[in-house]
Structures are given as C-alpha cells and as structure tokens.
Amino acid sequence: MLKRALAIITLLIIGYWLAQGLAGVPFGEDKMLVGQYYLDNVKQQTGAVNAVTAVVVNYRGFDTLGEVTVLFIASTGVGALLWRRKKERTAKTEGSIVLTTGTRLLFPFVMLFGAYIFIHGHLTPGGGFPGGATIATAFLLLYLAFITYEIPHRGFEVTEGLAGMSYVAVGLIGLAIGGYFLFDWIWQTWQFGWDNVGRLLSGGFIPIIYTIIGIKVGTELSGIIDNMLKEEVSE
Amino acid sequence: MISVYYFGAIALILIGLYAILVKKNLLKILIGLSIMETGVNLLLISIGYVSGKSAPILSEGIGPSQAVDPIPQALVLTAIVIGVATTAMALSVAILIYEKYGTLNVEEIRRLRG
C-alpha cells in the first residue's frame, strides 16, 4: 500500500513536470526548422510524393540501415535466447473450419496487401516496415490455423541475409556513381521517372529499398513468431 | 493552457509508468512499457502537428506550404520499429524466466535467486 502511494506521488511529480515543460510548447503552430526545406525540395531531389518516406529512405537512409540492423540483431537475439537442441510445435487444438478456410482464402491477399504497402511507399502512407509486418501477420495466420505448419527456415534465413546485403549493395552502387553512400543514382544520375512524379515508376530508389526492407522485415518477424511459438520436447 | 493531445500523451506515459512501478507480473510490466512507448510516440507526433494542414503527402491541392512537419513522423516510424524489436527481446527473456522459475512474479524471482 505504501509502495502504491509512493508510486502515485512520483507519478504526480513527473506528470506536473512534463505538463510544465509542454505548457510552453504551443499546439498546432508552425515550428518547422528543417522540415520546410524537405517539403520544398522533396519532389525535385528525391521524386517521392510522400515526404515521410523520402526523409526515412533518402535524407536519413543511413539511419534506416541502422534501424534494419537493430531489427536483425533483435531477431537473432530472440533466436539465440530461445535456442534449443530439439524444438517442435506443441499446439494441440486444430484451428476451427472457419479459421482454416479463411486462412486458405485470405493468405494470398494478405501477402498481396503487404506487397502493395511496400511497393507504394513513396506515394501513399506506409512503406517497408508496415508492409513487412503485414506479411508477417499472414504467416502468423498460417501458424494459428494449422498446428503442424512451419515456415521454410533455410529459405527464410537466406532471403533475410540477401535482403540485408542488397541494401548495402544499393548504397555502395551510389558510392561508386555519385560519390557518397546511399546516393540516389536512379533519380539523380539516370533521371528515371523524371516526368511522372506521383506515379508508380518514379521515386528513384525508394521503391527498391522499401521492397528490400519489406522482404527483410517480413522474414525477420516471421522468424520471431516461429521462435516464440516453439517449445522444447523431450525424447 | 495545455493542449488535450499533450494531456493524453502525458496520461498514457503516466499510466505506463504506474504499471512499471507497481505491477508484479512481468507481462504486465511489459504491457506498461508498451503503453508508455505509445504515449511518447503520440507526444512526438502531436508536437509536429500544424493546425489546418494535411499529411505530408504532396498531391493536387497540397503544396509544400500546406503540409505538416514530416520529420517527427519519420522519427516515430523508426521508434515504433525499434520498440517492436525490444518488446520481442523482452518477451523471449520472459519466456526463459518462466521456464526456469515457473513464475512471472518479479518478487518471487528475486527471492529464488537468494
């Protein structure tokens, strides 16, 4: 009881302090310093209509490479923590007929929707990370419906590694052509899609990088799901 | 006068912090951590909002002067992904702890270690 009271007092102090700090920050007013530059130049410099993905992939592409690395390390860490010599799925209840039939019907469409999200990253909200998460939910659906289902591990691990390497490869091609890492060579040097900004075939290397990220995130999150659902079985 | 969006974000952060400080079940602590993370993300997004302007997707009628700041949104995109990664790690540690001690109560785990 004393602990709870102490916690509430601490929370009140922290809340008052946060509210004091934020009272000086007006809501809904223009506070842009560098954001306006991005908004003004995003179409000419990157070819993307969606400024958020342009910031994530183009202006801060190196940061996103680090983010992908963090996700990769987390997925490897989950695998290392839950590693057992002999692991199997121990689920006992088969999915109901609604779940299995629905999964059979919906699986290709969920995959298609994930692919749509990451291919259209430069035009609509979304991108590689939400698209990859959507693809991982398709595999989660399979895991829920069929008790003996397992993802093809070898293929997924190879795909994951190749996707990570091709992100670096795209960056290195930029280094060779334009002089710095992750230079947008498709847009700046080739000027591909210069006259149809706002359509699918534009946006420089943003769709390519987001496809790579989508594949990588999808396989990684599916691997995390797979690791967490399996348990050790004794012979 | 503090905006209602900031107020909601602060409320979410405090609810999450309360769960972390008071709850004894490891899974509830992790849920509290996720709620806190959501509050921080909401705070960042609402700081970047400009009233009367639309999402930073330039199209017909939405020029560079009619869009909100894209940088907080890009940063929150990063933060969400990192949050998913750390939550997955923490959950797998929780699975290991449950297998080792047979409980998720943090006080009992501490007692068992001696």
Side-chain angles (χ1 to χ4, degrees):
Chain A
M1 212 60 234
L2 180 69
K3 194 184 161 192
R4 194 161 293 191
L6 272 177
I8 289 174
I9 292 169
T10 317
L11 289 185
L12 285 178
I13 293 170
I14 293 174
Y16 178 73
W17 170 69
L18 276 173
Q20 273 293 322
L22 285 171
V25 183
F27 177 76
E29 282 179 26
D30 203 341
K31 295 179 280 288
M32 275 189 262
L33 296 169
V34 72
Q36 194 62 55
Y37 172 81
Y38 288 161
L39 284 173
D40 287 338
N41 296 301
V42 65
K43 268 191 186 173
Q44 296 80 43
Q45 288 181 344
T46 68
V49 183
N50 186 350
V52 178
T53 51
V55 171
V56 168
V57 178
N58 241 308
Y59 295 110
R60 299 176 63 92
F62 200 61
D63 189 41
T64 306
L65 185 60
E67 189 183 347
V68 172
T69 314
V70 169
L71 204 60
F72 172 70
I73 290 170
S75 133
T76 317
V78 170
L81 280 174
L82 299 175
W83 186 83
R84 305 284 178 356
R85 185 150 306 170
K86 197 165 164 59
K87 276 175 77 174
E88 265 175 31
R89 293 197 59 200
T90 51
K92 291 195 177 59
T93 43
E94 181 89 50
S96 67
I97 184 119
V98 178
L99 189 58
T100 48
T101 317
T103 305
R104 281 207 190 92
L105 278 175
L106 282 178
F107 179 74
F109 294 105
V110 177
M111 292 287 276
L112 192 68
F113 184 56
Y116 166 79
I117 290 177
F118 64 65
I119 288 171
H120 283 248
H122 57 301
L123 302 175
T124 53
F129 296 102
T134 312
I135 286 177
T137 57
F139 286 104
L140 179 60
L141 208 55
L142 283 182
Y143 269 99
L144 286 177
F146 306 108
I147 52 172
T148 52
Y149 179 77
E150 274 189 47
I151 55 168
H153 289 274
R154 187 140 298 237
F156 267 48
E157 276 155 25
V158 171
T159 319
E160 192 183 321
L162 282 180
M165 266 157 44
S166 44
Y167 193 159
V168 180
V170 169
L172 286 177
I173 293 170
L175 183 68
I177 293 177
Y180 59 90
F181 190 62
L182 284 169
F183 174 76
D184 192 350
W185 37 281
I186 295 179
W187 182 259
Q188 301 278 1
T189 311
W190 294 359
Q191 309 191 338
F192 179 77
W194 198 269
D195 46 1
N196 56 352
V197 179
R199 306 240 176 110
L200 182 58
L201 291 177
S202 69
F205 69 4
I206 292 176
I208 296 173
I209 287 205
Y210 259 166
T211 308
I212 291 167
I213 291 177
I215 291 169
K216 193 165 164 58
V217 172
T219 48
E220 262 161 11
L221 291 182
S222 311
I224 288 178
I225 290 168
D226 177 70
N227 271 317
M228 285 194 168
L229 280 174
K230 280 180 170 175
E231 280 176 51
E232 191 171 20
V233 285
S234 50
E235 285 125 73
Chain B
M1 192 57 213
I2 187 162
S3 154
V4 65
Y5 293 92
Y6 294 163
F7 186 78
I10 292 173
L12 279 178
I13 292 173
L14 293 185
I15 290 168
L17 201 58
Y18 177 79
I20 293 170
L21 287 175
V22 170
K23 295 292 173 191
K24 294 193 175 62
N25 190 321
L26 209 54
L27 289 182
K28 287 183 185 170
I29 293 177
L30 288 179
I31 291 171
L33 210 59
S34 295
I35 295 174
M36 210 171 149
E37 209 178 276
T38 315
V40 174
N41 289 343
L42 181 63
L43 183 63
L44 282 176
I45 283 289
S46 51
I47 284 177
Y49 182 72
V50 184
S51 25
K53 295 192 178 180
S54 71
I57 296 172
L58 310 175
S59 56
E60 281 172 48
I62 301 166
S65 56
Q66 280 114 37
V68 301
D69 196 349
I71 297 173
Q73 303 197 9
L75 289 181
V76 166
L77 191 63
T78 309
I80 289 171
V81 175
I82 305 285
V84 167
T86 50
T87 309
M89 284 290 281
L91 280 175
S92 48
V93 172
I95 291 174
L96 281 187
I97 284 175
Y98 186 76
E99 279 175 4
K100 204 165 175 63
Y101 295 115
T103 175
L104 282 172
N105 190 321
V106 277
E107 291 194 338
E108 279 184 41
I109 293 162
R110 204 177 293 146
R111 205 172 296 140
L112 283 169
R113 275 182 62 204

